[in-house]
């Protein structure tokens, strides 16, 4: 099945700096890569996603890049703010006859933005 | 538009018991997926329901079962609870089986098995 590796597991930055989280995946058939933000006591919230026919996507301070050849994708957060502090998960969709369509998640990155 | 709601929010059960968790999907969504999130880990896919039928299943034993109702709400049932079943159970809804438009997750049910 699909494996998604995510690094780093923890990241601490100062307010205003940039944060980068990187993920790799194994299934070359994966065609959809969402990023989720999870705050304490809440479910994951979709913050940005990218499809395999696009190399980069940006939404205000958040951007995602995808390198299909290398099978890796990254989340970039610029001008970080304390409210960006949370756990971030990357994911890749996979499908087979048993699982249908499902998301395979990385293990998460705990981001701390200090004032 | 309402989001995904799950009930109960917290639950404590004894090993060997059975539990039912409930999920109401977001308005307009016909697909529901269930995920298990152990502490400090990413969510793990349990199964997906589309138009009241199981559409796919992850690496979970048969004692994990589910239902989807005509209004697209869903239940997750776990029999013969084990200590390792303690986790946050997340329900996610979407407009189609393939999550190309994104899943909307609920806040989850925190299950503790003692």
């Amino acid at each position: 099945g699909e494996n998604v590796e995510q690094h780093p597991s923890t990241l601490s930055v100062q307010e205003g700096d940039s944060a980068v989280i990187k993920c790799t995946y194994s299934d070359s058939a994966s065609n959809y890569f969402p990023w989720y933000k999870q705050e304490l006591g809440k479910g994951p919230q979709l913050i940005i996603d990218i499809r395999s026919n696009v190399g980069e996507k940006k939404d205000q301070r958040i951007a995602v890049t995808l390198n299909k050849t290398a099978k890796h994708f990254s989340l970039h957060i610029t001008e970080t703010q304390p409210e960006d502090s949370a756990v971030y998960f990357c994911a890749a969709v996979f499908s087979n006859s048993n699982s249908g369509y499902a998301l395979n998640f990385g293990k998460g990155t705990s981001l701390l933005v200090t004032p | 538009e309402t989001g995904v709601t799950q009930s109960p929010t917290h639950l404590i059960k004894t090993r060997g018991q059975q539990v039912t968790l409930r999920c109401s999907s977001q308005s307009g969504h016909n697909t529901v997926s269930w995920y298990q999130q152990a502490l400090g880990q990413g969510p793990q896919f349990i199964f997906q329901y589309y138009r009241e039928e199981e559409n796919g299943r992850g690496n979970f034993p048969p004692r994990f079962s589910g239902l989807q109702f005509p209004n697209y709400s869903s239940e997750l049932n776990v029999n013969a609870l084990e200590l390792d079943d303690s986790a946050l159970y997340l329900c996610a809804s979407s407009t189609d089986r393939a999550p190309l438009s994104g899943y909307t997750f609920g806040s989850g049910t925190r299950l503790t098995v003692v």
Side-chain angles (χ1 to χ4, degrees), chain A residues 15-34:
Chain A
E15 182 177 3
D17 288 349
S18 295
V20 179
I21 303 170
K22 298 182 178 182
C23 290
T24 60
Y25 62 99
S26 60
D27 186 354
S28 57
S30 292
N31 60 358
Y32 175 69
F33 307 90

Side-chain angles (χ1 to χ4, degrees), chain A residues 32 38 43-44 51 89 98-99 103, chain B residues 35 37 42 56-57 99-100 102 106:
Chain A
Y32 175 69
Q38 188 173 27
R51 298 189 188 188
F89 292 97
N98 291 328
S99 66
L103 289 174
Chain B
Y35 287 77
Q37 186 177 23
R57 188 177 187 91
L100 299 183

Side-chain angles (χ1 to χ4, degrees), chain B residues 12-47:
Chain B
I12 299 175
K13 287 286 188 177
T14 302
R15 189 172 50 182
Q17 284 187 316
Q18 179 265 344
V19 69
T20 297
L21 310 182
R22 295 179 174 83
C23 171
S24 293
S25 59
Q26 181 168 316
S27 177
H29 287 189
N30 59 13
T31 303
V32 171
S33 304
W34 286 90
Y35 287 77
Q36 180 196 64
Q37 186 177 23
L39 203 61
Q41 300 294 317
Q44 297 287 318
F45 174 65
I46 303 175
F47 43 56

Side-chain angles (χ1 to χ4, degrees), chain B:
Chain B
E1 128 183 319
T2 58
V4 176
T5 57
Q6 293 186 241
S7 63
T9 55
H10 297 82
L11 200 54
I12 299 175
K13 287 286 188 177
T14 302
R15 189 172 50 182
Q17 284 187 316
Q18 179 265 344
V19 69
T20 297
L21 310 182
R22 295 179 174 83
C23 171
S24 293
S25 59
Q26 181 168 316
S27 177
H29 287 189
N30 59 13
T31 303
V32 171
S33 304
W34 286 90
Y35 287 77
Q36 180 196 64
Q37 186 177 23
L39 203 61
Q41 300 294 317
Q44 297 287 318
F45 174 65
I46 303 175
F47 43 56
Q48 181 184 79
Y49 277 84
Y50 173 71
R51 293 184 176 179
E52 302 178 57
E53 292 193 1
E54 186 177 293
N55 184 58
R57 188 177 187 91
N59 190 25
F60 280 81
R63 60 189 184 84
F64 285 77
S65 63
L67 284 172
Q68 187 180 30
F69 300 100
N71 65 354
Y72 303 129
S73 65
S74 178
E75 287 183 354
L76 165 65
N77 300 291
V78 187
N79 294 322
L81 284 167
E82 301 177 358
L83 297 179
D84 285 349
D85 295 334
S86 296
L88 180 68
Y89 288 86
L90 295 163
C91 170
S93 72
S94 58
T95 54
D96 201 352
R97 291 164 290 179
L100 299 183
S101 58
Y103 284 160
T104 301
F105 280 86
S107 293
T109 294
R110 172 71 64 187
L111 173 64
T112 302
V113 182
V114 297

